[in-house]
Amino acid sequence: MPRPELSAEQRAVYERIEHTREHLFITGRAGTGKSTILNHLSWNTSKIIAVCAPTGVAALNVGGQTIHSLLRLPTGIIADHDLDQPAELKKMLAAIDTLVIDEISMVSADLMDAIDRSLRLARGKRHDPFGGAQIIMFGDPYQLPPVPPRDPHERAYFADTYRSLWFFDANVWKSAPLSTFELLEVHRQRDDRFKQILGAVRHGVVTEDQANELNAAGARPAPRDVITLATTNATVNRLNAQRLAEIKGSSLRAVAEINGEFRENTYPADEVLELKPGAQVMFLRNDPDGRWVNGTIGTVSRVSGTVWVEVDREEFEVEPMVWERYRYRYDSETKKLEKEVVAEFEQFPLRLAWAVTVHKSQGHTYDAAIVDLGPRAFSAGQTYVALSRVRSLDGLYLQRPLQPRDVIVDPNVVRFMRGKEETA
Ligand SMILES: Nc1ncnc2c1ncn2[C@@H]1O[C@H](COP(=O)(O)OP(=O)(O)OP(=O)(O)O)[C@@H](O)[C@H]1O
Ligand SMILES: [Mg+2]
């Protein structure tokens, strides 16, 4: 990621982080430079910081690790389960002044509380929020929310425990004060009209004129190499399969090995993965040896028995990996969530990547993108994230015109952000 000079408001945020120990939530519209400040902080701070983000792609964007890998947290809902902290992890967490988190909107209340508990435990300060560490969070709650749990037991646990899924409803905030700083100047886009339209999409107040203007601009046919941002995995898979079919040459067909109960729509990777040299791919898991992370893009270079992928001109042999699936059982009397491994899924940690989901595009800037909202956008912030990835209307291609129903704002976000304005 390039490192521009900070603007005055960005510098003010940086100084505030540097010179206080308060917990800060730095927010602002897409492209106001939240991740840019974070990158600047990584290079220039005199504090000892650790940088993380909820998804691999978002972590990659700011040179951090996922929250789960940094804190060695188990996947799924964590609730009050025991946290396993090896000595070197404890040492690392005891040593930091500040934990910095990007894309906080995708962090659930459960994960936020797990971060709190993990830091208390590692730092041996059970009664201090976050074990006395400073928490700096960057993100925009008008962008994508945490992924809601599918499992009815997990959903029941959430409903019983939290007001909403959002990080701001975590229990830790009942005892830890949080200050908010809102960035106002957008840097990703220059054109004022496009910025205005994006602002209207963010708040769900798009006028007919604005919609017409956006739809007219996006109606041109897209050049061939433009990446597609689609809402569903099904659309992403279909587009990728089309592109793969266009490549001539040898292919490898890898069938996943599945043991135990995995519902088909919860597979962590393709059951049947077809790859050819020349195919654009994305990694789905972090490499234990750190050669790639979840979200790294590469090109398949060879498929002779195993798979070789080229990333930044280096070629790596990729081996299949195992995903474990857990099941939770929520006991509403004891309010405890028990978990057990119920299934395993083994496959190469790769997926074709000519098209990606909007979810995976959060945090990125593209010169051009095709936005494919399918029959309708189905998550709060989804349309706003997709449209705000491109720098200008010239780079925006709409697979179909935007409809009023595509613009969804979560009332919990409005409640939280209003409250912030009042206390600011
Ligand atoms: N002060 C600045 N001067 C010039 N360009 C900037 C500045 N700050 C940010 N940018 C550019 O604007 C774009 C968006 O910045 P960045 O990704 O940091 O925004 P963000 O607030 O994290 O957005 P998102 O909410 O989408 O994650 C990037 O291309 C970045 O290089
Ligand atoms: Mg960002």
Side-chain angles (χ1 to χ4, degrees), residues 46 49 61 69 80 184 203 258 266 284 320 338 352 380:
S46 53
I49 66 170
N61 196 33
S69 76
D80 63 352
L184 297 174
H203 291 282
I258 303 166
T266 63
L284 300 175
E338 313 289 346
L352 297 172

Side-chain angles (χ1 to χ4, degrees), residues 1-8 10 26-39 61-62 102-103 138-140 143 183 185-190 361-366 384-385 388-389 391:
M1 193 170 164
R3 297 209 302 278
E5 282 282 307
L6 295 191
S7 66
Q10 290 172 335
I26 295 127
T27 189
R29 292 197 261 168
T32 45
K34 299 179 291 294
S35 302
T36 300
I37 301 174
L38 202 166
N39 275 308
N61 196 33
V62 288
D102 200 13
E103 295 295 0
F138 291 88
D140 175 12
Q143 297 184 42
L183 295 161
E185 196 185 341
V186 173
H187 296 276
R188 184 175 290 129
Q189 292 89 14
R190 275 176 203 287
S361 80
Q362 182 152 320
H364 280 258
T365 302
Y366 298 107
Y384 177 56
V385 169
S388 63
R389 294 310 94 201
R391 294 184 184 278

Side-chain angles (χ1 to χ4, degrees), residues 316-365:
F316 302 121
E317 183 172 8
V318 181
E319 289 182 344
M321 291 179 88
V322 176
W323 282 262
E324 288 178 332
R325 183 173 150 71
Y326 304 98
R327 189 200 288 133
Y328 296 89
R329 186 168 295 124
Y330 179 54
D331 184 332
S332 56
E333 301 244 306
T334 61
K335 297 214 189 304
K336 290 229 185 265
L337 199 64
E338 313 289 346
K339 97 177 189 185
E340 53 184 336
V341 175
V342 289
E344 285 183 340
F345 182 103
E346 186 171 357
Q347 177 61 286
F348 289 99
L350 294 170
R351 158 173 295 165
L352 297 172
W354 285 285
V356 301
T357 57
V358 175
H359 182 80
K360 290 226 186 252
S361 80
Q362 182 152 320
H364 280 258
T365 302

Side-chain angles (χ1 to χ4, degrees), residues 169-227:
D169 283 324
N171 291 323
V172 63
W173 301 121
K174 291 174 188 161
S175 53
L178 177 62
S179 309
T180 300
F181 194 110
E182 186 165 2
L183 295 161
L184 297 174
E185 196 185 341
V186 173
H187 296 276
R188 184 175 290 129
Q189 292 89 14
R190 275 176 203 287
D191 176 47
D192 282 336
R193 186 67 189 156
F194 188 31
K195 286 191 216 178
Q196 256 175 31
I197 296 174
L198 290 175
V201 172
R202 183 172 184 254
H203 291 282
V205 293
V206 184
T207 64
E208 203 175 332
D209 278 355
Q210 289 172 325
N212 289 342
E213 193 173 336
L214 192 74
N215 288 334
R220 297 152 291 127
R224 216 183 126 65
D225 55 345
V226 171
I227 194 167

Side-chain angles (χ1 to χ4, degrees), residues 43-266:
W43 285 93
N44 296 289
T45 183
S46 53
K47 295 187 176 188
I48 302 173
I49 66 170
V51 173
C52 59
T55 69
V57 186
L60 189 61
N61 196 33
V62 288
Q65 296 180 49
T66 63
I67 296 169
H68 282 85
S69 76
L70 181 75
L71 302 178
R72 312 251 184 120
L73 295 172
T75 53
I77 289 187
I78 301 161
D80 63 352
H81 293 138
D82 284 343
L83 300 177
D84 181 25
Q85 297 191 324
E88 76 275 21
L89 174 66
K90 275 204 159 105
K91 232 163 127 180
M92 186 272 286
L93 293 179
I96 62 170
D97 300 310
T98 303
L99 182 71
V100 185
I101 310 170
D102 200 13
E103 295 295 0
I104 193 73
S105 74
M106 290 198 255
V107 172
S108 70
D110 173 68
L111 183 55
M112 192 84 240
D113 280 334
I115 293 169
D116 170 44
R117 199 151 59 86
S118 170
L119 286 165
R120 289 187 200 221
L121 190 66
R123 297 163 71 93
K125 294 187 178 165
R126 281 165 194 271
H127 303 293
D128 292 353
F130 302 104
Q134 180 187 27
I135 305 297
I136 304 289
M137 300 174 291
F138 291 88
D140 175 12
Y142 287 98
Q143 297 184 42
L144 290 180
V147 177
R150 283 171 195 269
D151 184 300
H153 290 265
E154 292 179 43
R155 277 212 296 274
Y157 170 79
F158 251 105
D160 255 19
T161 313
Y162 293 114
R163 184 163 176 192
S164 81
L165 282 181
W166 291 88
F167 74 96
F168 48 75
D169 283 324
N171 291 323
V172 63
W173 301 121
K174 291 174 188 161
S175 53
L178 177 62
S179 309
T180 300
F181 194 110
E182 186 165 2
L183 295 161
L184 297 174
E185 196 185 341
V186 173
H187 296 276
R188 184 175 290 129
Q189 292 89 14
R190 275 176 203 287
D191 176 47
D192 282 336
R193 186 67 189 156
F194 188 31
K195 286 191 216 178
Q196 256 175 31
I197 296 174
L198 290 175
V201 172
R202 183 172 184 254
H203 291 282
V205 293
V206 184
T207 64
E208 203 175 332
D209 278 355
Q210 289 172 325
N212 289 342
E213 193 173 336
L214 192 74
N215 288 334
R220 297 152 291 127
R224 216 183 126 65
D225 55 345
V226 171
I227 194 167
T228 296
L229 313 180
T231 51
T232 64
N233 281 316
T235 306
V236 165
N237 291 343
R238 178 172 49 77
L239 293 171
N240 284 326
Q242 275 168 13
R243 291 299 291 271
L244 188 74
E246 289 165 20
I247 300 182
K248 300 205 168 58
S250 56
S251 81
L252 172 137
R253 195 169 169 277
V255 180
E257 195 171 307
I258 303 166
N259 294 304
E261 280 175 45
F262 251 108
R263 265 173 299 147
E264 196 171 329
N265 61 354
T266 63

